[in-house]
Amino acid sequence: MTVHLLADSAADLPKQFYDQHHISFIPLRVFLDETEYEDLVSIQPHDVYEAMRNGKVPKTSQPSLQTFKDVFSKLAEKDAAALYIAFSSELSGTYQTAVMAANEIKEEFPEFDLRIIDSKCASLGYGLAVKYALQLSTDGNTIQEIEASVKDFCKSLEHIFTVNDLNYLARGGRISKTSAFVGGLLNIKPLLHVEDGKLIPLEKIRGKKKLIRRMIELMRERGLDLSNQTIGISHGDDIETAEEFKQLIEAEFQPKEIIINMIGSAIGAHSGPGTLAIFFPGNKKS
């Protein structure tokens, strides 16, 4: 690679992906049973989902300032141009902490070319941006070219998802407890999307089959040349539904590639088991 890449665990890519491609991996932190863990390092998403099914309430936090400084300083010593693609600043303080750490490191290493992108993306949408940056770097693009292209890519990405149990969103303050209770009684599922990095309710739909059909419709309405794209599906420990959804997408759009991965602890601790999300380049205007 011409540029060293960095990403955090909210990208919901497998840990081996980072290792295989020599991308610096920065784990978010998970607190469960009064113990602190590192996402994908000392705790796996399945463990978090099992704990939630058993009534436990995990909490998450961003990486520490010192964690970023340690990673950045090692790269600065190697004098390697580096690009960190960060989890949406509207959903976590990770980006802001990284910027603070970078400013401190650059005081010591003023020639260090470190750039940080606020992806405004989450889960495998963020992961697709990391994979896109990797391809650009492998192809020999400069850090300036990669930074500009990844920003444009992130702006176009659609995130559409639903949760299986509204109570998890209620615990995180995303919706009221009353809404969660009523929605559960009526089998109402929320459809949400990400707009400028923020989590925005889109529609409420009754029944799983109608929900899946609506997600396909939204792909048709919002997608850009999907037959030539890589599409991401992430799930909250529900691979069967994800695989069924994949088959529907393949039949409808024949995309170049579909990637499926479990939603990691950093996001799954708030969305809960059974979450289903789809990510694809859209026809948004920059």
Side-chain angles (χ1 to χ4, degrees):
M1 293 190 297
T2 58
V3 177
H4 188 89
L5 299 176
L6 306 93
D8 57 69
S9 63
D12 289 347
L13 293 167
K15 179 62 167 62
Q16 58 265 34
F17 173 85
Y18 298 88
D19 299 336
Q20 178 183 351
H21 298 290
H22 308 289
I23 296 172
S24 291
F25 173 76
I26 301 169
L28 275 71
R29 296 178 290 177
V30 181
F31 297 86
L32 186 62
D33 292 332
E34 299 182 0
T35 303
E36 179 180 324
Y37 301 92
E38 291 186 331
D39 190 14
L40 288 183
V41 178
S42 54
I43 195 169
Q44 298 302 313
H46 177 74
D47 301 322
V48 174
Y49 292 121
E50 278 298 294
M52 295 176 80
R53 291 186 181 106
N54 292 324
K56 296 180 180 178
V57 184
K59 298 184 183 300
T60 61
S61 71
Q62 66 200 49
S64 68
L65 179 69
Q66 190 59 49
T67 295
F68 280 113
K69 288 177 67 175
D70 290 344
V71 173
F72 292 163
S73 62
K74 288 179 182 178
L75 292 173
E77 290 168 358
K78 295 178 181 178
D79 195 27
L83 178 67
Y84 171 41
I85 305 167
F87 185 20
S88 172
S89 63
E90 298 289 347
L91 300 174
S92 169
T94 303
Y95 168 77
Q96 288 88 346
T97 301
V99 170
M100 289 173 58
N103 289 336
E104 292 188 25
I105 293 299
K106 286 181 178 181
E107 289 181 6
E108 185 178 354
F109 299 93
E111 301 301 317
F112 179 33
D113 191 357
L114 169 64
R115 304 181 185 211
I116 302 176
I117 293 175
D118 179 2
S119 71
K120 300 291 181 75
C121 297
S123 190
L124 206 46
Y126 171 16
L128 291 179
V130 175
K131 287 176 67 67
Y132 180 66
L134 174 64
Q135 187 60 58
L136 291 172
S137 182
T138 302
D139 290 345
N141 289 273
T142 66
I143 191 167
Q144 294 90 345
E145 291 168 335
I146 297 171
E147 180 183 30
S149 294
V150 170
K151 284 181 177 179
D152 286 341
F153 182 83
C154 290
K155 287 178 183 177
S156 78
L157 270 178
E158 292 282 357
H159 303 54
I160 298 172
F161 72 99
T162 185
V163 297
N164 189 53
D165 188 337
L166 290 164
N167 286 306
Y168 296 119
L169 287 179
R171 287 175 190 170
R174 299 293 184 186
I175 61 172
S176 72
K177 291 182 180 179
T178 302
S179 294
F181 176 70
V182 173
L185 287 178
L186 299 176
N187 193 27
I188 291 174
K189 306 294 185 186
L191 203 55
L192 306 99
H193 68 159
V194 171
E195 191 174 285
D196 196 29
K198 299 176 184 176
L199 186 64
I200 306 292
L202 193 59
E203 299 173 8
K204 293 179 181 177
I205 297 176
R206 192 169 182 174
K208 185 176 180 179
K209 289 184 178 179
K210 288 183 180 178
L211 185 72
I212 296 297
R213 284 202 300 269
R214 181 58 180 144
M215 292 175 80
I216 294 290
E217 287 175 2
L218 285 168
M219 290 185 69
R220 193 181 304 119
E221 292 169 11
R222 298 185 175 192
L224 178 65
D225 187 23
L226 293 182
S227 64
N228 195 38
Q229 304 291 357
T230 296
I231 292 172
I233 300 173
S234 60
H235 63 93
D237 202 17
D238 185 2
I239 186 63
E240 289 184 5
T241 298
E243 289 287 357
E244 290 172 5
F245 195 30
K246 177 184 178 183
Q247 291 176 12
L248 292 173
I249 292 170
E250 285 176 333
E252 182 74 26
F253 304 109
Q254 299 86 45
K256 181 175 68 175
E257 180 184 20
I258 299 178
I259 299 168
I260 298 178
N261 202 44
M262 191 181 296
I263 297 171
S265 308
I267 295 172
H270 303 283
S271 59
T275 299
L276 181 67
I278 183 76
F279 311 93
F280 55 93
N283 51 26
K284 297 177 183 177
K285 294 181 179 179
S286 301

Coordinates of all heavy atoms in Angstrom, one line a residue, residues 2 22 28 74 83 88 100 117 121 127 139 152 167 188 200 233 246 250:
T2 N 0.4 2.3 -0.7 CA 1.1 3.5 -0.7 C 0.8 4.4 0.6 O 1.6 5.2 1.0 CB 0.8 4.4 -1.9 OG1 -0.7 4.6 -1.9 CG2 1.1 3.6 -3.2
H22 N -2.9 -5.5 6.8 CA -2.0 -4.6 7.5 C -2.7 -3.2 7.8 O -2.0 -2.2 7.6 CB -0.7 -4.5 6.8 CG -0.1 -5.8 6.5 ND1 0.5 -6.7 7.4 CD2 0.1 -6.5 5.3 CE1 0.9 -7.8 6.9 NE2 0.7 -7.7 5.6
L28 N -13.2 -0.3 19.9 CA -14.0 0.4 20.8 C -14.1 -0.4 22.1 O -13.8 -1.6 22.0 CB -15.3 0.8 20.3 CG -15.4 2.1 19.5 CD1 -14.7 2.0 18.2 CD2 -16.8 2.6 19.3
K74 N 3.6 5.5 16.6 CA 4.4 4.4 16.0 C 4.5 4.7 14.5 O 5.5 4.4 13.9 CB 3.7 3.1 16.3 CG 3.9 2.6 17.7 CD 3.2 1.3 17.9 CE 3.4 0.8 19.4 NZ 2.6 -0.4 19.7
L83 N -3.9 7.4 6.9 CA -5.3 7.9 6.8 C -6.2 7.0 7.7 O -6.3 5.8 7.5 CB -5.8 7.7 5.3 CG -7.2 8.1 5.0 CD1 -7.4 9.6 5.2 CD2 -7.6 7.7 3.6
S88 N -18.7 7.5 12.5 CA -19.5 8.8 12.4 C -19.4 9.6 13.7 O -19.7 9.1 14.8 CB -21.0 8.5 12.1 OG -21.7 9.7 12.2
M100 N -7.9 15.1 18.5 CA -7.1 15.6 19.6 C -5.8 14.9 19.7 O -4.7 15.6 19.8 CB -7.9 15.4 20.9 CG -9.1 16.3 21.1 SD -10.1 15.9 22.5 CE -8.8 16.1 23.8
I117 N -10.6 11.1 8.5 CA -11.9 11.3 7.8 C -13.0 11.0 8.8 O -13.0 9.9 9.4 CB -12.0 10.5 6.6 CG1 -11.0 10.9 5.5 CG2 -13.5 10.5 6.0 CD1 -11.0 10.0 4.3
C121 N -20.5 7.4 8.6 CA -21.0 6.1 8.3 C -20.9 5.2 9.6 O -20.2 5.5 10.5 CB -20.2 5.4 7.2 SG -20.3 6.2 5.6
G127 N -17.6 -0.1 6.9 CA -16.7 -1.1 6.4 C -16.4 -1.1 4.9 O -15.3 -1.3 4.4
D139 N -4.0 0.2 -5.4 CA -3.8 0.7 -6.8 C -2.8 1.8 -7.0 O -2.6 2.2 -8.1 CB -5.2 1.1 -7.4 CG -6.2 0.0 -7.6 OD1 -5.7 -1.2 -7.6 OD2 -7.4 0.2 -7.8
D152 N -16.1 11.3 -0.9 CA -17.2 11.2 -1.9 C -18.0 9.9 -1.8 O -19.2 9.9 -1.8 CB -16.7 11.4 -3.3 CG -16.3 12.8 -3.6 OD1 -16.7 13.7 -2.9 OD2 -15.5 13.0 -4.6
N167 N -37.1 -2.5 22.5 CA -36.6 -2.2 23.9 C -35.1 -1.9 24.0 O -34.7 -1.1 24.8 CB -36.9 -3.4 24.8 CG -38.4 -3.5 25.1 OD1 -39.0 -2.6 25.6 ND2 -39.0 -4.7 24.8
I188 N -44.8 -3.9 15.5 CA -44.4 -2.8 14.6 C -42.8 -2.8 14.7 O -42.2 -2.8 15.7 CB -45.0 -1.5 15.1 CG1 -46.5 -1.5 14.8 CG2 -44.3 -0.3 14.3 CD1 -47.2 -0.3 15.3
I200 N -31.7 8.3 11.9 CA -33.0 9.0 11.6 C -34.1 8.0 11.4 O -33.9 7.1 10.5 CB -32.9 9.9 10.4 CG1 -31.7 10.9 10.5 CG2 -34.2 10.6 10.2 CD1 -31.9 12.0 11.6
I233 N -24.4 -6.4 4.0 CA -25.5 -6.8 4.9 C -24.9 -7.1 6.3 O -23.9 -7.9 6.4 CB -26.2 -8.0 4.4 CG1 -26.8 -7.8 3.0 CG2 -27.3 -8.4 5.4 CD1 -27.4 -9.1 2.4
K246 N -30.0 -11.8 1.5 CA -29.0 -11.9 0.4 C -29.6 -12.5 -0.9 O -29.4 -11.9 -2.0 CB -27.8 -12.6 0.9 CG -26.7 -12.8 -0.2 CD -25.5 -13.7 0.2 CE -24.5 -13.9 -0.9 NZ -23.4 -14.8 -0.5
E250 N -29.8 -10.7 -4.5 CA -29.2 -11.3 -5.7 C -30.2 -11.4 -6.8 O -29.9 -11.1 -8.0 CB -28.6 -12.6 -5.3 CG -27.3 -12.5 -4.5 CD -26.8 -13.9 -4.1 OE1 -27.6 -14.8 -3.9 OE2 -25.5 -14.0 -3.9

